[in-house]
Amino acid sequence: MPPRSRPHGLLRPAAAQINEAIRQLIEQPDDDRRAEKYRRLLIAWAEATRSEMVKAA
């Protein structure tokens, strides 16, 4: 299966930028909004650091 392509013009933020956003978020008071933002950042970080898909033999 070919990898999913991103819509033209939308680039994933670099993992380092996402990591910095997570660090800054941790400094904020713990609440539901922070928890949701943290969840979204973790997903974005996983996508940004995902290695290239390897075709199954």
Side-chain angles (χ1 to χ4, degrees):
M1 179 187 313
R4 290 184 284 162
S5 63
R6 289 175 287 190
H8 180 68
L10 295 179
L11 299 176
R12 292 183 190 147
Q17 291 172 325
I18 297 168
N19 201 20
E20 181 59 31
I22 290 170
R23 287 187 178 123
Q24 291 176 4
L25 184 64
I26 296 303
E27 299 297 322
Q28 297 178 7
D30 190 13
D31 60 12
D32 290 340
R33 185 194 63 77
R34 183 182 105 164
E36 177 59 25
K37 189 170 183 179
Y38 181 69
R39 184 187 70 78
R40 289 192 316 263
L41 285 169
L42 285 180
I43 291 168
W45 183 83
E47 290 175 356
T49 59
R50 184 180 314 162
S51 62
E52 294 296 319
M53 295 179 67
V54 178
K55 290 185 180 181

